[in-house]
Coordinates of all heavy atoms in Angstrom, one line a residue:
M10 N 113.3 131.3 107.4 CA 112.7 130.2 108.1 C 112.8 128.9 107.2 O 112.5 129.0 106.0 CB 111.2 130.5 108.4 CG 110.6 129.4 109.2 SD 108.9 130.0 109.6 CE 108.4 128.5 110.5
Q11 N 113.1 127.8 107.7 CA 113.2 126.5 107.1 C 111.9 125.9 106.6 O 111.0 126.1 107.3 CB 114.0 125.6 108.0 CG 114.5 124.3 107.3 CD 115.7 124.5 106.6 OE1 116.2 125.6 106.4 NE2 116.2 123.4 106.0
Y12 N 111.9 125.4 105.4 CA 110.7 124.7 104.9 C 110.8 123.2 105.3 O 111.9 122.7 105.5 CB 110.6 124.8 103.4 CG 110.1 126.1 102.9 CD1 110.9 127.2 103.1 CD2 108.9 126.2 102.2 CE1 110.5 128.4 102.6 CE2 108.5 127.4 101.7 CZ 109.3 128.5 101.9 OH 108.9 129.7 101.4
R13 N 109.7 122.5 105.4 CA 109.7 121.1 105.8 C 109.6 120.3 104.5 O 108.7 120.6 103.7 CB 108.4 120.9 106.8 CG 108.3 119.5 107.3 CD 107.2 119.4 108.3 NE 106.0 120.0 107.9 CZ 105.0 119.3 107.4 NH1 105.1 117.9 107.1 NH2 103.9 119.8 107.0
L14 N 110.3 119.2 104.4 CA 110.4 118.3 103.3 C 109.4 117.3 103.4 O 109.3 116.6 104.5 CB 111.8 117.8 103.1 CG 112.0 117.0 101.8 CD1 111.9 117.9 100.6 CD2 113.4 116.3 101.9
K15 N 108.6 117.1 102.3 CA 107.6 116.0 102.2 C 107.8 115.3 101.0 O 108.3 115.8 100.0 CB 106.2 116.6 102.3 CG 105.8 117.2 103.6 CD 104.5 118.0 103.6 CE 103.4 117.0 103.1 NZ 102.1 117.7 103.1
Y16 N 107.5 114.0 100.9 CA 107.6 113.1 99.7 C 106.3 112.5 99.3 O 105.5 112.0 100.1 CB 108.6 112.0 100.0 CG 110.1 112.3 99.8 CD1 110.8 112.7 100.9 CD2 110.7 112.1 98.6 CE1 112.2 112.9 100.8 CE2 112.0 112.3 98.5 CZ 112.8 112.7 99.6 OH 114.1 112.9 99.5
D17 N 106.1 112.5 98.0 CA 105.1 111.5 97.4 C 105.8 110.1 97.6 O 107.0 110.0 97.4 CB 104.9 111.8 96.0 CG 104.0 110.8 95.3 OD1 102.9 110.9 95.3 OD2 104.6 109.8 94.8
P18 N 105.0 109.1 98.0 CA 105.6 107.8 98.3 C 106.4 107.3 97.1 O 107.4 106.6 97.2 CB 104.4 106.9 98.6 CG 103.4 107.9 99.2 CD 103.6 109.2 98.4
A19 N 105.9 107.5 95.9 CA 106.6 107.0 94.7 C 107.9 107.6 94.5 O 108.9 107.0 94.2 CB 105.7 107.1 93.5
A20 N 107.9 109.0 94.7 CA 109.2 109.7 94.6 C 110.2 109.3 95.7 O 111.4 109.2 95.4 CB 108.9 111.2 94.7
E21 N 109.7 109.0 96.8 CA 110.6 108.6 97.9 C 111.2 107.2 97.6 O 112.4 107.0 97.8 CB 109.8 108.5 99.3 CG 110.7 108.2 100.4 CD 109.9 108.3 101.7 OE1 108.7 108.1 101.8 OE2 110.6 108.5 102.8
A22 N 110.4 106.3 96.9 CA 111.0 105.1 96.6 C 112.1 105.2 95.6 O 113.1 104.5 95.6 CB 109.8 104.2 96.1
V23 N 111.9 106.1 94.6 CA 112.9 106.3 93.6 C 114.3 106.9 94.2 O 115.3 106.4 94.0 CB 112.5 107.3 92.5 CG1 113.6 107.7 91.5 CG2 111.3 106.7 91.6
H24 N 114.1 107.8 95.2 CA 115.2 108.4 95.9 C 115.9 107.3 96.6 O 117.2 107.2 96.6 CB 114.8 109.5 96.7 CG 116.0 110.4 97.2 ND1 115.7 111.5 98.0 CD2 117.3 110.3 97.1 CE1 116.9 112.0 98.3 NE2 117.9 111.3 97.7
E25 N 115.2 106.5 97.3 CA 115.9 105.4 98.1 C 116.6 104.4 97.3 O 117.5 103.8 97.7 CB 114.8 104.8 99.0 CG 114.4 105.6 100.2 CD 113.2 105.0 101.0 OE1 112.7 104.0 100.6 OE2 112.8 105.7 102.0
A26 N 116.1 104.2 96.1 CA 116.7 103.2 95.2 C 117.9 103.7 94.4 O 118.6 102.9 93.8 CB 115.6 102.7 94.2
M27 N 118.2 105.0 94.4 CA 119.2 105.6 93.7 C 120.6 105.1 94.3 O 120.7 104.9 95.5 CB 119.2 107.1 93.7 CG 118.1 107.7 92.9 SD 117.8 109.4 93.1 CE 119.5 110.1 92.7
P28 N 121.7 105.0 93.5 CA 123.0 104.8 94.1 C 123.4 105.9 95.0 O 122.9 107.0 95.0 CB 124.0 104.8 92.8 CG 123.0 104.5 91.6 CD 121.7 105.1 92.1
A29 N 124.4 105.6 95.9 CA 124.7 106.5 97.0 C 125.2 107.9 96.6 O 124.7 108.9 97.1 CB 125.9 105.8 97.8
V30 N 126.0 108.0 95.6 CA 126.6 109.3 95.3 C 125.5 110.2 94.6 O 125.4 111.3 95.1 CB 127.8 109.2 94.3 CG1 128.2 110.5 93.8 CG2 129.0 108.5 95.0
P31 N 124.7 109.7 93.6 CA 123.7 110.7 93.2 C 122.6 110.9 94.2 O 122.0 112.0 94.2 CB 123.1 110.0 91.9 CG 123.9 108.7 91.7 CD 124.9 108.6 92.8
S32 N 122.3 109.9 95.0 CA 121.3 110.1 96.1 C 121.8 111.2 97.1 O 121.0 112.1 97.5 CB 121.1 108.8 96.9 OG 120.2 109.0 97.9
E33 N 123.0 111.2 97.5 CA 123.6 112.3 98.3 C 123.5 113.6 97.7 O 123.1 114.6 98.3 CB 125.0 111.9 98.7 CG 125.5 113.0 99.7 CD 126.9 112.6 100.2 OE1 127.5 111.6 99.7 OE2 127.5 113.4 101.0
A34 N 123.8 113.7 96.4 CA 123.7 115.0 95.7 C 122.3 115.5 95.7 O 122.1 116.7 95.9 CB 124.3 114.9 94.3
L35 N 121.4 114.6 95.4 CA 119.9 115.0 95.5 C 119.5 115.5 96.9 O 118.8 116.5 97.0 CB 119.1 113.9 94.9 CG 117.5 114.2 94.9 CD1 117.3 115.4 94.0 CD2 116.8 113.0 94.4
T36 N 120.0 114.7 97.9 CA 119.7 115.1 99.3 C 120.1 116.4 99.6 O 119.4 117.3 100.2 CB 120.2 114.0 100.3 OG1 119.6 112.8 100.0 CG2 120.0 114.4 101.7
L37 N 121.5 116.7 99.3 CA 122.0 118.1 99.5 C 121.2 119.2 98.8 O 121.0 120.3 99.4 CB 123.5 118.1 99.2 CG 124.3 117.2 100.0 CD1 125.8 117.2 99.5 CD2 124.3 117.7 101.5
A38 N 120.8 118.9 97.5 CA 120.1 119.9 96.8 C 118.7 120.1 97.4 O 118.2 121.2 97.4 CB 119.9 119.4 95.3
L39 N 118.0 119.0 97.9 CA 116.8 119.2 98.6 C 116.9 120.0 99.8 O 116.0 120.7 100.2 CB 116.1 117.8 98.8 CG 115.6 117.1 97.6 CD1 115.3 115.6 97.9 CD2 114.4 117.8 97.1
A40 N 118.0 119.8 100.5 CA 118.3 120.6 101.8 C 118.4 122.1 101.5 O 117.8 122.9 102.2 CB 119.5 120.1 102.5
A41 N 119.1 122.3 100.3 CA 119.2 123.8 99.9 C 117.8 124.3 99.5 O 117.5 125.5 99.8 CB 120.2 123.8 98.7
A42 N 117.0 123.5 98.9 CA 115.6 123.9 98.5 C 114.8 124.2 99.8 O 113.9 125.0 99.8 CB 114.9 122.9 97.7
C43 N 115.0 123.5 100.9 CA 114.3 123.7 102.1 C 114.7 125.0 102.8 O 113.9 125.6 103.5 CB 114.5 122.5 103.1 SG 113.5 121.0 102.5
S44 N 115.9 125.5 102.4 CA 116.4 126.7 103.0 C 115.9 127.9 102.2 O 115.5 128.9 102.7 CB 117.9 126.8 103.1 OG 118.4 125.8 104.0
D45 N 115.9 127.8 100.9 CA 115.4 128.9 100.0 C 114.9 128.2 98.7 O 115.7 128.0 97.7 CB 116.6 129.8 99.7 CG 116.1 131.0 98.9 OD1 115.0 131.1 98.4 OD2 117.0 132.0 98.8
P46 N 113.7 127.8 98.6 CA 113.1 127.1 97.5 C 113.2 127.8 96.2 O 113.5 127.1 95.2 CB 111.7 126.8 97.9 CG 111.5 127.4 99.2 CD 112.6 128.0 99.6
I47 N 113.1 129.0 96.1 CA 113.1 129.7 94.8 C 114.5 129.8 94.3 O 114.8 129.6 93.1 CB 112.4 131.1 94.9 CG1 111.0 131.0 95.4 CG2 112.5 131.9 93.6 CD1 110.1 130.1 94.5
A48 N 115.5 130.2 95.2 CA 116.9 130.3 94.7 C 117.5 128.9 94.3 O 118.3 128.9 93.5 CB 117.7 130.9 95.8
A49 N 117.1 127.9 95.0 CA 117.7 126.6 94.8 C 117.1 125.8 93.6 O 117.5 124.7 93.3 CB 117.7 125.7 96.1
T50 N 116.0 126.3 93.1 CA 115.2 125.5 92.0 C 115.0 126.4 90.8 O 115.4 127.6 90.8 CB 113.9 125.1 92.6 OG1 113.1 126.2 92.9 CG2 114.0 124.2 93.8
Q51 N 114.5 125.7 89.8 CA 114.1 126.5 88.5 C 112.7 126.3 88.3 O 112.0 125.4 88.7 CB 114.9 125.8 87.3 CG 116.4 125.9 87.5 CD 117.2 125.3 86.4 OE1 116.5 125.0 85.3 NE2 118.4 124.9 86.5
P52 N 112.1 127.2 87.5 CA 110.6 127.1 87.2 C 110.4 125.9 86.4 O 111.2 125.4 85.6 CB 110.4 128.3 86.3 CG 111.5 129.3 86.5 CD 112.7 128.5 87.0
Y53 N 109.2 125.3 86.6 CA 108.8 124.2 85.9 C 107.6 124.7 85.0 O 106.5 124.9 85.5 CB 108.3 123.1 86.9 CG 107.8 121.8 86.1 CD1 108.7 120.9 85.7 CD2 106.5 121.5 86.0 CE1 108.4 119.8 85.1 CE2 106.1 120.4 85.4 CZ 107.0 119.5 84.9 OH 106.6 118.3 84.3
G54 N 107.9 124.9 83.7 CA 106.9 125.6 82.9 C 106.9 127.1 83.2 O 107.9 127.8 83.3
E55 N 105.6 127.5 83.4 CA 105.4 129.0 83.7 C 105.9 129.2 85.2 O 105.6 128.4 86.1 CB 103.9 129.3 83.6 CG 103.6 130.7 84.0 CD 102.2 131.1 83.7 OE1 101.5 130.5 82.9 OE2 101.7 132.0 84.5
D56 N 106.6 130.3 85.5 CA 107.1 130.5 86.8 C 106.0 131.1 87.7 O 105.9 132.3 87.8 CB 108.3 131.6 86.7 CG 109.1 131.6 87.9 OD1 108.7 130.9 89.0 OD2 110.0 132.5 88.0
D57 N 105.4 130.2 88.4 CA 104.3 130.6 89.3 C 104.8 130.6 90.8 O 104.1 130.9 91.6 CB 103.1 129.7 89.2 CG 103.4 128.2 89.3 OD1 104.4 127.9 89.7 OD2 102.4 127.4 89.1
G58 N 106.1 130.2 91.0 CA 106.6 130.1 92.3 C 106.0 128.9 93.1 O 106.4 128.9 94.3
V59 N 105.3 128.1 92.5 CA 104.6 127.0 93.2 C 105.2 125.6 92.8 O 105.7 124.8 93.5 CB 103.1 127.0 93.1 CG1 102.5 125.8 93.8 CG2 102.6 128.3 93.6
I60 N 105.2 125.4 91.5 CA 105.8 124.1 90.9 C 107.1 124.5 90.4 O 107.4 125.3 89.6 CB 104.9 123.6 89.7 CG1 103.5 123.3 90.3 CG2 105.5 122.3 89.2 CD1 103.3 122.2 91.3
R61 N 108.2 123.8 90.9 CA 109.5 124.1 90.7 C 110.3 122.8 90.3 O 109.8 121.7 90.5 CB 110.3 124.7 91.9 CG 109.6 126.0 92.4 CD 109.7 127.1 91.5 NE 111.1 127.6 91.6 CZ 111.5 128.7 90.8 NH1 110.7 129.3 90.1 NH2 112.8 129.0 90.9
M62 N 111.5 122.9 89.7 CA 112.3 121.8 89.2 C 113.6 121.9 89.9 O 114.2 123.0 89.9 CB 112.3 121.7 87.8 CG 113.0 120.5 87.2 SD 112.8 120.2 85.4 CE 113.2 121.7 84.8
L63 N 114.1 120.8 90.5 CA 115.4 120.8 91.1 C 116.2 119.8 90.2 O 115.9 118.7 90.0 CB 115.3 120.2 92.5 CG 116.5 120.1 93.3 CD1 117.1 121.5 93.6 CD2 116.3 119.3 94.6
I64 N 117.4 120.4 89.8 CA 118.2 119.5 88.9 C 119.6 119.3 89.4 O 120.3 120.2 89.9 CB 118.4 120.3 87.5 CG1 117.0 120.5 86.9 CG2 119.3 119.5 86.5 CD1 117.0 121.4 85.7
T65 N 120.0 118.0 89.4 CA 121.4 117.6 89.8 C 122.0 117.0 88.6 O 121.4 116.8 87.5 CB 121.4 116.7 91.0 OG1 120.8 115.4 90.6 CG2 120.7 117.2 92.2
D66 N 123.3 116.5 88.6 CA 123.9 115.9 87.5 C 123.3 114.6 87.1 O 123.3 114.2 85.9 CB 125.4 115.6 87.9 CG 126.2 116.8 87.9 OD1 125.8 117.9 87.3 OD2 127.3 116.8 88.5
A67 N 122.7 113.9 88.0 CA 122.1 112.5 87.8 C 120.6 112.4 88.0 O 120.0 111.3 87.7 CB 122.8 111.5 88.6
A68 N 119.9 113.6 88.3 CA 118.5 113.4 88.6 C 117.8 114.7 88.5 O 118.5 115.8 88.6 CB 118.3 112.8 90.0
F69 N 116.5 114.7 88.4 CA 115.8 116.0 88.6 C 114.5 115.6 89.3 O 113.9 114.5 89.2 CB 115.5 116.7 87.2 CG 114.6 116.0 86.3 CD1 113.3 116.2 86.3 CD2 115.1 115.2 85.2 CE1 112.4 115.7 85.4 CE2 114.3 114.6 84.4 CZ 113.0 114.8 84.4
A70 N 114.0 116.6 90.0 CA 112.9 116.4 90.8 C 111.9 117.5 90.5 O 112.3 118.7 90.3 CB 113.2 116.3 92.3
V71 N 110.5 117.2 90.6 CA 109.5 118.2 90.5 C 109.0 118.4 92.0 O 108.7 117.5 92.6 CB 108.4 117.7 89.6 CG1 107.3 118.8 89.6 CG2 109.0 117.4 88.2
L72 N 109.0 119.7 92.3 CA 108.6 120.1 93.7 C 107.4 121.0 93.7 O 107.2 121.8 92.8 CB 109.8 120.8 94.3 CG 111.2 120.2 94.3 CD1 112.2 121.1 94.9 CD2 111.2 118.8 95.0
L73 N 106.7 120.9 94.8 CA 105.5 121.8 95.0 C 105.9 122.6 96.2 O 106.2 122.0 97.3 CB 104.2 120.9 95.3 CG 103.0 121.7 95.8 CD1 102.5 122.6 94.7 CD2 102.0 120.7 96.3
I74 N 106.0 123.9 96.1 CA 106.3 124.8 97.2 C 105.1 125.3 97.8 O 104.2 126.0 97.2 CB 107.2 126.0 96.6 CG1 108.3 125.4 95.8 CG2 107.7 126.8 97.8 CD1 109.3 124.5 96.4
G75 N 105.0 125.0 99.1 CA 103.8 125.4 99.9 C 104.1 126.6 100.8 O 104.8 126.3 101.8
E76 N 103.8 127.8 100.4 CA 104.2 129.0 101.2 C 103.4 129.0 102.5 O 104.0 129.3 103.5 CB 103.9 130.2 100.4 CG 104.8 130.5 99.3 CD 106.3 130.8 99.9 OE1 106.4 131.4 100.9 OE2 107.3 130.3 99.1
T77 N 102.1 128.7 102.6 CA 101.3 128.8 103.7 C 101.9 127.9 104.9 O 102.0 128.3 106.0 CB 99.9 128.5 103.4 OG1 99.4 129.3 102.4 CG2 99.0 128.6 104.7
L78 N 102.1 126.6 104.5 CA 102.6 125.6 105.5 C 104.1 125.5 105.5 O 104.6 124.7 106.3 CB 101.9 124.3 105.3 CG 100.3 124.3 105.4 CD1 99.8 122.9 105.0 CD2 99.9 124.6 106.8
R79 N 104.7 126.2 104.7 CA 106.2 126.2 104.6 C 106.7 124.8 104.3 O 107.4 124.2 105.1 CB 106.9 126.8 105.8 CG 106.3 128.1 106.3 CD 106.9 129.3 105.7 NE 108.3 129.5 105.8 CZ 108.9 130.4 105.1 NH1 108.3 131.2 104.3 NH2 110.2 130.6 105.2
T80 N 106.2 124.2 103.2 CA 106.6 122.8 102.9 C 107.2 122.8 101.5 O 106.8 123.6 100.6 CB 105.4 121.9 102.9 OG1 104.4 122.4 102.0 CG2 104.9 121.7 104.3
V81 N 108.1 121.8 101.2 CA 108.5 121.5 99.9 C 108.2 120.0 99.8 O 108.7 119.2 100.5 CB 110.1 121.7 99.8 CG1 110.6 121.1 98.5 CG2 110.5 123.1 100.0
T82 N 107.3 119.8 98.8 CA 106.8 118.4 98.5 C 107.4 117.9 97.3 O 107.3 118.5 96.2 CB 105.3 118.4 98.4 OG1 104.7 118.9 99.7 CG2 104.8 116.9 98.2
V83 N 108.1 116.8 97.3 CA 108.8 116.1 96.2 C 107.6 115.3 95.5 O 107.1 114.3 96.1 CB 109.9 115.3 96.6 CG1 110.6 114.6 95.4 CG2 111.0 116.0 97.4
L84 N 107.2 115.8 94.3 CA 106.1 115.1 93.6 C 106.7 114.0 92.7 O 106.0 113.0 92.5 CB 105.4 116.1 92.7 CG 104.8 117.3 93.5 CD1 104.2 118.2 92.4 CD2 103.7 116.7 94.4
Q85 N 107.9 114.2 92.1 CA 108.4 113.2 91.2 C 109.9 113.3 91.2 O 110.5 114.4 91.3 CB 107.9 113.5 89.8 CG 108.3 112.6 88.7 CD 107.8 112.9 87.4 OE1 106.9 113.7 87.3 NE2 108.3 112.4 86.3
I86 N 110.6 112.2 91.0 CA 112.0 112.2 90.9 C 112.4 111.3 89.7 O 111.8 110.2 89.5 CB 112.8 111.6 92.1 CG1 112.6 112.5 93.3 CG2 114.3 111.4 91.8 CD1 113.2 111.9 94.6
N87 N 113.1 111.8 88.8 CA 113.6 111.0 87.6 C 115.1 110.9 87.7 O 115.8 111.9 87.8 CB 113.3 111.7 86.3 CG 111.8 111.7 86.0 OD1 111.1 110.7 86.4 ND2 111.3 112.8 85.4
Y88 N 115.6 109.7 87.8 CA 117.0 109.3 87.9 C 117.5 109.1 86.5 O 117.0 108.3 85.8 CB 117.2 108.1 88.8 CG 118.7 107.7 88.8 CD1 119.7 108.5 89.3 CD2 119.1 106.4 88.3 CE1 121.0 108.1 89.2 CE2 120.3 106.0 88.3 CZ 121.3 106.8 88.8 OH 122.6 106.4 88.8
I89 N 118.4 110.0 86.0 CA 118.9 109.9 84.6 C 120.4 109.4 84.6 O 121.0 109.4 83.6 CB 118.8 111.2 84.0 CG1 119.4 112.3 84.8 CG2 117.3 111.5 83.8 CD1 119.3 113.7 84.1
G90 N 120.9 109.0 85.8 CA 122.3 108.6 86.0 C 122.9 108.0 84.9 O 124.0 107.8 84.7

């Protein structure tokens, strides 16, 4: 079952401001995370299955995985392009 993607407003602004190529790579990685959040991400600190990190060549995002409501919430995006 697919997870629903949600954004913190500040994280969404960073994603929207990124150049096209790295933004598309992040979008595709987020889509993969919505299909299988654990397989598409890495632990952020202790592996609790809730706070995860998504890494692309030019950015990384901190995600909150909500099992009950089936959501992936983007808490923070750092563009390192």
Side-chain angles (χ1 to χ4, degrees):
M10 182 174 182
Q11 191 78 356
Y12 284 66
R13 185 170 50 94
L14 184 65
K15 295 172 52 179
Y16 275 92
D17 173 86
E21 186 173 23
V23 172
H24 194 179
E25 289 176 355
M27 289 172 59
V30 172
S32 176
E33 182 179 0
L35 181 59
T36 298
L37 293 173
L39 287 168
C43 286
S44 293
D45 189 349
I47 300 302
T50 61
Q51 298 178 18
Y53 184 79
E55 184 177 328
D56 189 4
D57 58 6
V59 177
I60 303 293
R61 306 286 293 179
M62 189 166 50
L63 181 68
I64 301 171
T65 67
D66 288 340
F69 68 89
V71 178
L72 309 176
L73 173 67
I74 309 302
E76 285 296 324
T77 303
L78 298 176
R79 311 277 301 169
T80 57
V81 172
T82 304
V83 182
L84 300 176
Q85 178 181 349
I86 296 174
N87 291 325
Y88 173 61
I89 53 177

